[in-house]
């Protein structure tokens, strides 16, 4: 009997261990020298489950004409896209409705009595998000390239994007000290003991250095610490999940910190971190006074974006499919000066151009 119980316990223990592993088949793609671990691992079942959510929806028919009066001349209170013809403007509004609120329709943002009225917070937010989209497509080509983004990239037919974030609240632990958000496993950091809110430090505040080690051995002007490294690893865990990739998608496992040995994707990600920070600071955080209380986080902050907001588990949003060709109006005028790179003293070294 004892032998049977021991065997049963061993069997159950083995099953518990294997439950944390993915069953075959698993696909691997090598993109570096053999023996360096430069390989991506993909679960075909996960990819198949994600495929429907990454399909591009049918677009609106082209506008009947680009001629005639402009939208700002016909409609009231048009603060964005007023230079479009009425037909073009109507098509854009129909597209946004289909991308963001297909069930709710135009009244999700507009008052039926007065379309020019701004009393609905959703209209004020939508206008700001339209400005943000045009800014991304014009000024952040280093990250989105010619593929660009539209409202659908984040919303996927839902009024509220499925992946946003708020500042985390620290648990109340009298007399036990501050554990800095650690040892409270959260999905944001892969259920690890890493700090559960890497976003506030790196994607909202800042610019802060994203490092795991300092550039010098001595503590002179070297403020990198174990705590900072843990926050960096938390952000990296999020990025890995958000894109459905592992570390070697951007880094060379031989020398993670070396830009010369990194993949081109690391440069794209470097710009993406700065883009997310720019959008949160410039467009999303200031909307805290516009959103109703039920849309704010536990500390009263507005919903913000991170890598998962657009990527949603795919290495490229919508698996790299572009919707921008049919909507050139979503590309704004480039800023007078492109977003500046962080100075070397405040951030990791800028990627070297070859």
């Amino acid at each position: 009997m004892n032998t049977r119980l021991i065997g049963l316990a061993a069997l159950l223990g083995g099953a518990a261990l294997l439950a944390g592993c993915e069953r075959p088949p698993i696909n691997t793609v090598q993109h570096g020298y053999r023996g360096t671990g430069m390989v991506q691992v993909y679960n075909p079942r996960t990819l198949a489950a994600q495929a429907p959510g990454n399909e591009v929806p049918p677009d609106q028919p082209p506008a009947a004409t680009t001629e005639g009066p402009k939208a700002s001349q016909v409609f009231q209170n048009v603060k964005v896209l007023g230079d479009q013809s009425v037909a073009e403007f109507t098509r854009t509004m129909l597209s946004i409705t289909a991308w963001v609120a297909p069930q709710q329709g135009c009244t999700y943002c507009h008052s039926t009595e007065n379309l020019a009225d701004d009393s609905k917070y959703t209209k004020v937010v939508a206008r700001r998000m339209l400005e943000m989209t045009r800014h991304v497509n014009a000024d952040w080509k280093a990250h989105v390239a010619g593929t660009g983004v539209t409202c659908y990239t984040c919303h996927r037919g839902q009024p509220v994007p499925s992946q946003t974030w708020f500042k985390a609240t620290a648990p109340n632990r009298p007399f036990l000290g501050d554990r800095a958000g650690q040892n409270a496993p959260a999905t944001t950091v892969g259920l690890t003991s890493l700090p559960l809110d890497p976003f506030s430090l790196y994607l909202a505040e800042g610019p802060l250095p994203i490092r795991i080690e300092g550039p010098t051995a001595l503590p002179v002007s070297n403020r990198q610490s174990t705590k900072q490294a843990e926050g960096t690893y938390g952000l990296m865990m999020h990025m890995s999940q958000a894109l459905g990739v592992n570390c070697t998608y951007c880094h060379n496992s031989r020398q993670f910190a070396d830009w010369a040995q990194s993949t081109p994707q690391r440069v794209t990600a470097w710009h993406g971190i700065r883009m997310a920070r720019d959008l949160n600071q410039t467009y999303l955080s200031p909307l805290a006074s516009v959103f109703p209380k039920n849309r704010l986080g536990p500390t009263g902050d507005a919903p913000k974006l991170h890598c998962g907001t657009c990527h949603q588990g795919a290495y490229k949003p919508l698996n790299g499919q572009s919707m921008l060709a049919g909507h050139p109006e979503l590309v704004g005028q480039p800023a007078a000066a492109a977003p500046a790179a962080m100075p070397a003293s405040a951030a990791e070294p800028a990627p070297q151009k070859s």
Side-chain angles (χ1 to χ4, degrees), residues 43-326:
N43 186 324
R45 295 174 296 280
T46 301
L47 296 179
Q50 291 176 342
N54 284 295
E55 289 294 329
V56 172
D59 205 351
Q60 297 291 327
T65 179
T66 60
E67 305 299 327
K70 301 301 182 183
S72 59
Q73 299 172 329
V74 175
F75 303 115
Q76 297 178 347
N77 198 21
V78 177
K79 299 180 180 180
V80 187
L81 304 180
D83 57 344
Q84 285 190 297
S85 71
V86 171
E88 291 174 316
F89 185 79
T90 302
R91 176 179 182 266
T92 301
M93 292 297 102
L94 290 173
S95 297
I96 293 175
T97 301
W99 294 337
V100 176
Q103 301 300 320
Q104 296 81 359
C106 304
T107 56
Y108 182 70
C109 290
H110 293 279
S111 166
T112 53
E113 288 78 17
N114 181 7
L115 294 178
D117 181 41
D118 281 352
S119 60
K120 286 192 174 184
Y121 83 92
T122 47
K123 183 183 177 186
V124 178
V125 172
R127 179 187 290 135
R128 194 62 175 144
M129 294 301 94
L130 183 56
E131 292 172 333
M132 182 182 76
T133 300
R134 286 164 55 85
H135 167 57
V136 169
N137 291 327
D139 299 317
W140 284 105
K141 290 184 180 294
H143 185 68
V144 302
T147 305
V149 298
T150 67
C151 311
Y152 189 79
T153 307
C154 297
H155 283 267
R156 311 289 174 99
Q158 300 295 326
V160 179
S162 63
Q163 297 194 39
T164 57
W165 66 275
F166 301 100
K167 291 182 180 179
T169 55
N172 184 17
R173 305 170 70 241
F175 309 110
L176 295 179
D178 182 7
R179 61 184 182 187
Q182 291 188 275
N183 299 313
T187 56
T188 52
V189 290
L191 298 177
T192 65
S193 64
L194 294 168
L196 59 86
D197 180 16
F199 310 127
S200 295
L201 290 176
Y202 301 128
L203 300 185
E205 302 170 8
L208 291 176
I210 302 175
R211 289 186 181 277
I212 60 172
E213 59 186 13
T216 61
L218 299 177
V220 179
S221 71
N222 180 4
R223 304 305 301 166
Q224 278 66 53
S225 65
T226 299
K227 181 178 179 180
Q228 184 177 348
E230 290 169 337
T232 295
Y233 279 127
L235 179 63
M236 295 298 106
M237 290 289 290
H238 159 72
M239 295 178 73
S240 176
Q241 292 181 89
L243 276 66
V245 298
N246 55 35
C247 306
T248 57
Y249 187 69
C250 291
H251 297 274
N252 189 320
S253 56
R254 181 179 180 275
Q255 174 52 272
F256 274 71
D258 188 2
W259 279 100
Q261 299 184 57
S262 297
T263 68
Q265 286 81 4
R266 186 180 177 190
V267 178
T268 304
W270 188 89
H271 289 288
I273 290 172
R274 280 145 187 80
M275 183 189 76
R277 186 185 297 149
D278 169 39
L279 302 184
N280 285 328
Q281 291 179 346
T282 307
Y283 293 90
L284 293 165
S285 290
L287 288 173
S289 61
V290 176
F291 280 107
K293 288 185 177 180
N294 66 304
R295 289 293 315 280
L296 299 177
T299 65
D301 60 318
K304 292 171 286 297
L305 59 81
H306 52 38
C307 307
T309 309
C310 290
H311 284 267
Q312 301 190 23
Y315 77 111
K316 290 183 178 180
L318 299 172
N319 286 331
Q321 301 175 90
S322 177
M323 300 172 61
L324 201 57

Side-chain angles (χ1 to χ4, degrees), residues 16-34:
L17 288 173
L18 291 175
C21 303
E22 293 185 282
R23 63 179 175 85
I26 297 296
N27 298 331
T28 60
V29 179
Q30 180 179 322
H31 65 109
Y33 292 109
R34 284 178 290 180

